[in-house]
Amino acid sequence: MNRTTFRLAILAGLVFLCSLFAIGAQWAPFSHAAHPVAFAGMRGVPGAALFNGMVFVLPGLLLVLGGGRLRAALPVQTRWQPRIGATLLMLSAMAFAAQGLLPLDPEDIDAGTSSLHATAWTVWWIAFATGAVLYARASLVEHLVAVGAVLLVLLITLFGREWMPAGIAQRVAFSVWFGWFVYAAWCERR
């Protein structure tokens, strides 16, 4: 079971990165530095459905499965915190996938599916921040890595545009999120 979880986490991250760069390159105005990831998946953009499916939905669903396996691998006597943490990690992955199902609408950026997309993005980082800290349980190192990943995601998500272009900040935050899932799955397989 643990090897499968690790493979799911690796696969999710690779699908995200490869799709982001390969499919994103098909639309000339798309800039990785300047635009949020969801920009290439906006309504009306050529290939938006494929982009959203491969960048958000498929990686998110792979991590929902991975999070479920992390939860299932917890010993019966495990305290409530890691169990709730694993459930919140699954919610974070569902919210990530939902961003692809609720694309931005360039005609109505502050309402409609755009606001639902923003809500899914908010649920993504809040569920991760809480879930990762509650899930980490085995050692001080796991706790420190979880807290470090959470702080990095929160700082970059909330304040990253102050230090770097917005597009890069979002990609770094997503990469840290994927990386934490890979690390958690790797810890479980040991």
Side-chain angles (χ1 to χ4, degrees), residues 122-189:
T122 303
V123 170
W124 161 77
W125 63 262
I126 291 172
F128 171 69
T130 310
V133 172
L134 287 174
Y135 179 78
R137 67 192 197 294
S139 70
L140 178 61
V141 172
E142 280 188 45
H143 282 285
L144 292 175
V145 169
V147 168
V150 164
L151 288 176
L152 197 54
V153 166
L154 290 177
L155 285 172
I156 292 170
T157 298
L158 299 175
F159 306 109
R161 345 180 143 196
E162 305 296 324
W163 310 310
M164 62 185 89
I168 292 174
Q170 190 181 52
R171 283 153 183 79
V172 170
F174 284 158
S175 297
V176 170
W177 180 68
F178 280 108
W180 184 87
F181 263 98
V182 169
Y183 175 76
W186 177 77
C187 288
E188 281 302 315
R189 82 181 259 220

Side-chain angles (χ1 to χ4, degrees), residues 50-88:
L50 177 63
F51 181 87
N52 286 326
M54 296 299 292
V55 171
F56 289 112
V57 178
L58 181 57
L61 293 177
L62 289 169
L63 289 183
V64 169
L65 292 173
R69 295 180 73 85
L70 287 174
R71 190 177 195 293
L74 293 171
V76 175
Q77 70 276 16
T78 301
R79 300 178 333 267
W80 63 268
Q81 293 95 335
R83 291 185 188 288
I84 290 176
T87 302
L88 287 169

